[in-house]
Amino acid sequence: MAMTLRLNDEDAQALRRRAELEGRSMQDVAREAVREYVENHSRADLLDRVLDEDLPRYAEALERLGQ
């Protein structure tokens, strides 16, 4: 899927500098940033779900292990 990314001048310049520093295209750097964002937030969502749903189920056992 094609997509247009609109950046303000400051963000565009920062992306340009990062791409030049890494010897990559701006598009490659932006694509990697999106992948990292999705991956990191997916992990955080999973951890939140486990803490909210599974941790209470094992609270008593964890309490006993801690003693």
Side-chain angles (χ1 to χ4, degrees):
M1 173 176 92
M3 167 180 202
T4 300
L5 177 64
R6 290 183 177 84
L7 301 172
N8 63 33
D9 291 341
E10 185 178 320
D11 291 340
Q13 185 59 29
L15 179 59
R16 185 175 290 109
R17 281 193 304 267
R18 173 53 50 189
E20 288 174 0
L21 182 67
E22 295 181 12
R24 299 167 54 196
S25 71
M26 291 172 58
Q27 183 175 347
D28 284 344
V29 173
R31 233 189 336 253
E32 181 179 350
V34 169
R35 277 193 301 270
E36 287 178 10
Y37 177 88
V38 169
E39 182 178 312
N40 289 337
H41 282 75
S42 295
R43 272 194 228 131
D45 292 341
L46 175 60
L47 181 58
D48 287 345
R49 185 189 59 74
V50 167
L51 291 175
D52 290 344
E53 296 174 11
D54 295 335
L55 189 60
R57 185 177 350 159
Y58 300 109
E60 185 180 340
L62 291 170
E63 179 68 29
R64 281 191 267 160
L65 285 171
Q67 295 176 355

